[in-house]
mmCIF file of all heavy atoms in Angstrom:
data_model
loop_
_atom_site.group_PDB
_atom_site.id
_atom_site.type_symbol
_atom_site.label_atom_id
_atom_site.label_comp_id
_atom_site.label_asym_id
_atom_site.label_seq_id
_atom_site.Cartn_x
_atom_site.Cartn_y
_atom_site.Cartn_z
ATOM 1 N N PRO A 1 -6.766 -0.416 -3.626
ATOM 2 C CA PRO A 1 -8.070 -1.015 -3.995
ATOM 3 C C PRO A 1 -8.681 -0.400 -5.216
ATOM 4 O O PRO A 1 -9.287 0.662 -5.193
ATOM 5 C CB PRO A 1 -8.934 -0.683 -2.729
ATOM 6 C CG PRO A 1 -8.381 0.583 -2.167
ATOM 7 C CD PRO A 1 -6.921 0.550 -2.453
ATOM 8 N N LEU A 2 -8.529 -1.089 -6.381
ATOM 9 C CA LEU A 2 -9.193 -0.652 -7.626
ATOM 10 C C LEU A 2 -10.597 -1.151 -7.611
ATOM 11 O O LEU A 2 -11.407 -0.812 -8.522
ATOM 12 C CB LEU A 2 -8.412 -1.168 -8.882
ATOM 13 C CG LEU A 2 -7.080 -0.546 -9.160
ATOM 14 C CD1 LEU A 2 -6.504 -1.125 -10.472
ATOM 15 C CD2 LEU A 2 -7.183 0.949 -9.286
ATOM 16 N N SER A 3 -10.958 -1.978 -6.714
ATOM 17 C CA SER A 3 -12.302 -2.592 -6.560
ATOM 18 C C SER A 3 -12.565 -2.779 -5.041
ATOM 19 O O SER A 3 -11.634 -2.976 -4.256
ATOM 20 C CB SER A 3 -12.287 -3.909 -7.276
ATOM 21 O OG SER A 3 -13.335 -4.782 -6.713
ATOM 22 N N PRO A 4 -13.820 -2.707 -4.653
ATOM 23 C CA PRO A 4 -14.183 -2.941 -3.261
ATOM 24 C C PRO A 4 -13.770 -4.383 -2.776
ATOM 25 O O PRO A 4 -13.629 -4.575 -1.603
ATOM 26 C CB PRO A 4 -15.665 -2.762 -3.153
ATOM 27 C CG PRO A 4 -16.037 -2.045 -4.462
ATOM 28 C CD PRO A 4 -15.013 -2.324 -5.451
ATOM 29 N N ARG A 5 -13.570 -5.237 -3.717
ATOM 30 C CA ARG A 5 -13.173 -6.629 -3.348
ATOM 31 C C ARG A 5 -11.773 -6.756 -2.882
ATOM 32 O O ARG A 5 -11.353 -7.757 -2.268
ATOM 33 C CB ARG A 5 -13.308 -7.542 -4.580
ATOM 34 C CG ARG A 5 -14.692 -7.774 -5.048
ATOM 35 C CD ARG A 5 -14.701 -8.613 -6.316
ATOM 36 N NE ARG A 5 -15.903 -9.332 -6.485
ATOM 37 C CZ ARG A 5 -16.279 -10.072 -7.514
ATOM 38 N NH1 ARG A 5 -15.338 -10.186 -8.510
ATOM 39 N NH2 ARG A 5 -17.355 -10.684 -7.613
ATOM 40 N N VAL A 6 -10.938 -5.767 -3.140
ATOM 41 C CA VAL A 6 -9.467 -5.843 -2.843
ATOM 42 C C VAL A 6 -9.193 -5.645 -1.358
ATOM 43 O O VAL A 6 -9.686 -4.746 -0.684
ATOM 44 C CB VAL A 6 -8.716 -4.740 -3.642
ATOM 45 C CG1 VAL A 6 -7.231 -4.747 -3.308
ATOM 46 C CG2 VAL A 6 -8.908 -4.927 -5.154
ATOM 47 N N THR A 7 -8.392 -6.539 -0.861
ATOM 48 C CA THR A 7 -7.766 -6.336 0.472
ATOM 49 C C THR A 7 -6.418 -5.776 0.252
ATOM 50 O O THR A 7 -5.586 -6.347 -0.462
ATOM 51 C CB THR A 7 -7.659 -7.707 1.239
ATOM 52 O OG1 THR A 7 -8.951 -8.287 1.383
ATOM 53 C CG2 THR A 7 -6.960 -7.528 2.540
ATOM 54 N N VAL A 8 -6.163 -4.591 0.820
ATOM 55 C CA VAL A 8 -4.948 -3.856 0.595
ATOM 56 C C VAL A 8 -3.850 -4.481 1.579
ATOM 57 O O VAL A 8 -4.119 -4.556 2.798
ATOM 58 C CB VAL A 8 -5.078 -2.350 0.857
ATOM 59 C CG1 VAL A 8 -3.709 -1.648 0.784
ATOM 60 C CG2 VAL A 8 -6.032 -1.753 -0.146
ATOM 61 N N CYS A 9 -2.780 -4.884 0.992
ATOM 62 C CA CYS A 9 -1.664 -5.465 1.822
ATOM 63 C C CYS A 9 -0.381 -5.644 0.991
ATOM 64 O O CYS A 9 -0.464 -5.580 -0.212
ATOM 65 C CB CYS A 9 -2.091 -6.805 2.402
ATOM 66 S SG CYS A 9 -2.464 -8.114 1.219
ATOM 67 N N ASP A 10 0.653 -5.934 1.696
ATOM 68 C CA ASP A 10 1.967 -6.323 1.161
ATOM 69 C C ASP A 10 1.784 -7.798 0.671
ATOM 70 O O ASP A 10 1.284 -8.653 1.516
ATOM 71 C CB ASP A 10 3.001 -6.114 2.213
ATOM 72 C CG ASP A 10 4.389 -6.565 1.776
ATOM 73 O OD1 ASP A 10 4.611 -7.201 0.732
ATOM 74 O OD2 ASP A 10 5.323 -6.291 2.546
ATOM 75 N N MET A 11 2.240 -8.135 -0.484
ATOM 76 C CA MET A 11 2.056 -9.563 -0.955
ATOM 77 C C MET A 11 2.876 -10.558 -0.185
ATOM 78 O O MET A 11 2.643 -11.761 -0.266
ATOM 79 C CB MET A 11 2.433 -9.662 -2.479
ATOM 80 C CG MET A 11 1.546 -8.827 -3.437
ATOM 81 S SD MET A 11 -0.205 -9.046 -3.159
ATOM 82 C CE MET A 11 -0.601 -7.398 -2.522
ATOM 83 N N ALA A 12 3.817 -9.971 0.652
ATOM 84 C CA ALA A 12 4.636 -10.921 1.503
ATOM 85 C C ALA A 12 3.923 -11.183 2.805
ATOM 86 O O ALA A 12 4.405 -12.000 3.615
ATOM 87 C CB ALA A 12 5.997 -10.309 1.727
ATOM 88 N N GLU A 13 2.786 -10.492 3.025
ATOM 89 C CA GLU A 13 2.005 -10.697 4.326
ATOM 90 C C GLU A 13 0.487 -10.593 3.999
ATOM 91 O O GLU A 13 -0.088 -9.543 4.280
ATOM 92 C CB GLU A 13 2.410 -9.631 5.337
ATOM 93 C CG GLU A 13 3.830 -9.756 5.826
ATOM 94 C CD GLU A 13 4.145 -8.689 6.840
ATOM 95 O OE1 GLU A 13 3.392 -8.530 7.816
ATOM 96 O OE2 GLU A 13 5.150 -8.005 6.610
ATOM 97 N N VAL A 14 -0.111 -11.604 3.520
ATOM 98 C CA VAL A 14 -1.533 -11.538 3.234
ATOM 99 C C VAL A 14 -2.310 -12.086 4.457
ATOM 100 O O VAL A 14 -1.875 -13.007 5.152
ATOM 101 C CB VAL A 14 -1.976 -12.344 1.969
ATOM 102 C CG1 VAL A 14 -1.301 -11.709 0.705
ATOM 103 C CG2 VAL A 14 -1.622 -13.777 2.063
ATOM 104 N N PRO A 15 -3.456 -11.477 4.709
ATOM 105 C CA PRO A 15 -4.219 -11.914 5.959
ATOM 106 C C PRO A 15 -5.049 -13.123 5.672
ATOM 107 O O PRO A 15 -6.286 -13.052 5.670
ATOM 108 C CB PRO A 15 -5.150 -10.681 6.170
ATOM 109 C CG PRO A 15 -5.267 -10.060 4.858
ATOM 110 C CD PRO A 15 -4.065 -10.305 4.076
ATOM 111 N N LEU A 16 -4.413 -14.264 5.451
ATOM 112 C CA LEU A 16 -5.089 -15.560 5.254
ATOM 113 C C LEU A 16 -4.409 -16.564 6.254
ATOM 114 O O LEU A 16 -3.227 -16.506 6.469
ATOM 115 C CB LEU A 16 -4.920 -16.033 3.852
ATOM 116 C CG LEU A 16 -5.784 -15.454 2.789
ATOM 117 C CD1 LEU A 16 -5.423 -16.074 1.404
ATOM 118 C CD2 LEU A 16 -7.282 -15.621 3.031
ATOM 119 N N ALA A 17 -5.241 -17.526 6.659
ATOM 120 C CA ALA A 17 -4.705 -18.569 7.502
ATOM 121 C C ALA A 17 -3.806 -19.505 6.683
ATOM 122 O O ALA A 17 -3.975 -19.593 5.430
ATOM 123 C CB ALA A 17 -5.856 -19.401 8.122
ATOM 124 N N ALA A 18 -2.890 -20.201 7.320
ATOM 125 C CA ALA A 18 -2.017 -21.159 6.668
ATOM 126 C C ALA A 18 -2.971 -22.247 6.073
ATOM 127 O O ALA A 18 -3.961 -22.639 6.635
ATOM 128 C CB ALA A 18 -1.070 -21.752 7.649
ATOM 129 N N GLU A 19 -2.496 -22.767 4.947
ATOM 130 C CA GLU A 19 -3.201 -23.833 4.171
ATOM 131 C C GLU A 19 -4.729 -23.591 4.104
ATOM 132 O O GLU A 19 -5.564 -24.448 4.394
ATOM 133 C CB GLU A 19 -2.932 -25.162 5.008
ATOM 134 C CG GLU A 19 -1.464 -25.537 5.030
ATOM 135 C CD GLU A 19 -1.205 -26.861 5.667
ATOM 136 O OE1 GLU A 19 -2.052 -27.777 5.581
ATOM 137 O OE2 GLU A 19 -0.168 -26.996 6.283
ATOM 138 N N SER A 20 -5.086 -22.422 3.621
ATOM 139 C CA SER A 20 -6.493 -22.048 3.488
ATOM 140 C C SER A 20 -7.027 -21.916 2.039
ATOM 141 O O SER A 20 -8.201 -21.702 1.834
ATOM 142 C CB SER A 20 -6.794 -20.787 4.298
ATOM 143 O OG SER A 20 -5.987 -19.713 3.764
ATOM 144 N N VAL A 21 -6.070 -22.011 1.101
ATOM 145 C CA VAL A 21 -6.561 -21.847 -0.339
ATOM 146 C C VAL A 21 -6.024 -22.997 -1.164
ATOM 147 O O VAL A 21 -5.048 -23.690 -0.858
ATOM 148 C CB VAL A 21 -6.112 -20.529 -0.935
ATOM 149 C CG1 VAL A 21 -6.614 -19.321 -0.174
ATOM 150 C CG2 VAL A 21 -4.585 -20.397 -1.087
ATOM 151 N N ASP A 22 -6.781 -23.265 -2.250
ATOM 152 C CA ASP A 22 -6.409 -24.331 -3.149
ATOM 153 C C ASP A 22 -5.511 -23.894 -4.325
ATOM 154 O O ASP A 22 -4.745 -24.692 -4.857
ATOM 155 C CB ASP A 22 -7.695 -25.010 -3.758
ATOM 156 C CG ASP A 22 -8.585 -25.477 -2.693
ATOM 157 O OD1 ASP A 22 -8.236 -26.535 -2.056
ATOM 158 O OD2 ASP A 22 -9.669 -24.865 -2.418
ATOM 159 N N VAL A 23 -5.692 -22.629 -4.725
ATOM 160 C CA VAL A 23 -4.920 -22.076 -5.873
ATOM 161 C C VAL A 23 -4.459 -20.679 -5.508
ATOM 162 O O VAL A 23 -5.221 -19.855 -5.058
ATOM 163 C CB VAL A 23 -5.909 -21.972 -7.104
ATOM 164 C CG1 VAL A 23 -5.047 -21.467 -8.303
ATOM 165 C CG2 VAL A 23 -6.508 -23.313 -7.441
ATOM 166 N N ALA A 24 -3.164 -20.456 -5.678
ATOM 167 C CA ALA A 24 -2.580 -19.124 -5.531
ATOM 168 C C ALA A 24 -2.148 -18.612 -6.942
ATOM 169 O O ALA A 24 -1.542 -19.384 -7.684
ATOM 170 C CB ALA A 24 -1.350 -19.175 -4.556
ATOM 171 N N VAL A 25 -2.530 -17.370 -7.261
ATOM 172 C CA VAL A 25 -2.305 -16.862 -8.561
ATOM 173 C C VAL A 25 -1.446 -15.572 -8.497
ATOM 174 O O VAL A 25 -1.669 -14.671 -7.693
ATOM 175 C CB VAL A 25 -3.650 -16.484 -9.244
ATOM 176 C CG1 VAL A 25 -3.407 -15.799 -10.556
ATOM 177 C CG2 VAL A 25 -4.453 -17.780 -9.439
ATOM 178 N N PHE A 26 -0.451 -15.490 -9.375
ATOM 179 C CA PHE A 26 0.351 -14.313 -9.644
ATOM 180 C C PHE A 26 0.268 -14.057 -11.101
ATOM 181 O O PHE A 26 0.958 -14.743 -11.884
ATOM 182 C CB PHE A 26 1.806 -14.446 -9.218
ATOM 183 C CG PHE A 26 2.087 -14.517 -7.774
ATOM 184 C CD1 PHE A 26 2.054 -15.704 -7.077
ATOM 185 C CD2 PHE A 26 2.316 -13.328 -7.068
ATOM 186 C CE1 PHE A 26 2.255 -15.783 -5.671
ATOM 187 C CE2 PHE A 26 2.492 -13.346 -5.649
ATOM 188 C CZ PHE A 26 2.548 -14.588 -5.040
ATOM 189 N N CYS A 27 -0.624 -13.234 -11.547
ATOM 190 C CA CYS A 27 -0.760 -12.960 -12.975
ATOM 191 C C CYS A 27 -0.183 -11.584 -13.293
ATOM 192 O O CYS A 27 -0.810 -10.547 -12.984
ATOM 193 C CB CYS A 27 -2.266 -12.990 -13.362
ATOM 194 S SG CYS A 27 -2.557 -12.822 -15.149
ATOM 195 N N LEU A 28 1.021 -11.645 -13.853
ATOM 196 C CA LEU A 28 1.781 -10.376 -14.137
ATOM 197 C C LEU A 28 1.904 -9.576 -12.889
ATOM 198 O O LEU A 28 1.852 -8.353 -12.962
ATOM 199 C CB LEU A 28 1.065 -9.552 -15.273
ATOM 200 C CG LEU A 28 0.790 -10.370 -16.591
ATOM 201 C CD1 LEU A 28 0.027 -9.503 -17.542
ATOM 202 C CD2 LEU A 28 2.124 -10.767 -17.204
ATOM 203 N N ALA A 29 2.144 -10.250 -11.763
ATOM 204 C CA ALA A 29 2.147 -9.530 -10.472
ATOM 205 C C ALA A 29 3.329 -10.008 -9.634
ATOM 206 O O ALA A 29 3.358 -9.689 -8.398
ATOM 207 C CB ALA A 29 0.829 -9.718 -9.769
ATOM 208 N N LEU A 30 4.251 -10.821 -10.184
ATOM 209 C CA LEU A 30 5.327 -11.349 -9.341
ATOM 210 C C LEU A 30 6.438 -10.293 -9.431
ATOM 211 O O LEU A 30 7.370 -10.340 -10.251
ATOM 212 C CB LEU A 30 5.851 -12.667 -9.964
ATOM 213 C CG LEU A 30 6.579 -13.579 -9.045
ATOM 214 C CD1 LEU A 30 5.802 -13.826 -7.688
ATOM 215 C CD2 LEU A 30 6.829 -14.911 -9.740
ATOM 216 N N MET A 31 6.285 -9.254 -8.574
ATOM 217 C CA MET A 31 7.232 -8.143 -8.532
ATOM 218 C C MET A 31 7.927 -8.018 -7.264
ATOM 219 O O MET A 31 7.495 -8.576 -6.211
ATOM 220 C CB MET A 31 6.391 -6.847 -8.780
ATOM 221 C CG MET A 31 5.681 -6.811 -10.017
ATOM 222 S SD MET A 31 4.657 -5.298 -10.150
ATOM 223 C CE MET A 31 4.344 -5.270 -11.901
ATOM 224 N N GLY A 32 9.000 -7.267 -7.248
ATOM 225 C CA GLY A 32 9.738 -6.963 -6.035
ATOM 226 C C GLY A 32 11.002 -7.856 -5.937
ATOM 227 O O GLY A 32 11.082 -8.928 -6.569
ATOM 228 N N THR A 33 11.918 -7.366 -5.148
ATOM 229 C CA THR A 33 13.219 -8.045 -4.981
ATOM 230 C C THR A 33 13.133 -9.173 -3.993
ATOM 231 O O THR A 33 13.992 -10.008 -3.882
ATOM 232 C CB THR A 33 14.295 -7.089 -4.612
ATOM 233 O OG1 THR A 33 13.785 -6.354 -3.443
ATOM 234 C CG2 THR A 33 14.649 -6.075 -5.673
ATOM 235 N N ASN A 34 12.061 -9.180 -3.219
ATOM 236 C CA ASN A 34 11.842 -10.187 -2.154
ATOM 237 C C ASN A 34 10.956 -11.365 -2.665
ATOM 238 O O ASN A 34 10.026 -11.765 -1.952
ATOM 239 C CB ASN A 34 11.307 -9.613 -0.873
ATOM 240 C CG ASN A 34 10.062 -8.860 -1.046
ATOM 241 O OD1 ASN A 34 9.766 -8.257 -2.069
ATOM 242 N ND2 ASN A 34 9.206 -8.821 0.003
#
């Protein structure tokens, strides 16, 4: 958490319900072998 707004988690398991967002963003953050 570089900001209080950050939810700390693995990007492969975010705590959001299915079909709950309109836009998903990976800005220079598409990392990892998975």
Side-chain angles (χ1 to χ4, degrees):
L2 290 182
S3 157
R5 291 177 155 175
V6 176
T7 298
V8 175
C9 63
D10 176 349
M11 297 311 110
E13 293 180 54
V14 298
L16 285 177
E19 299 184 31
S20 60
V21 301
D22 301 289
V23 182
V25 174
F26 289 90
C27 186
L28 304 173
L30 203 51
M31 299 176 163
T33 52
N34 57 328

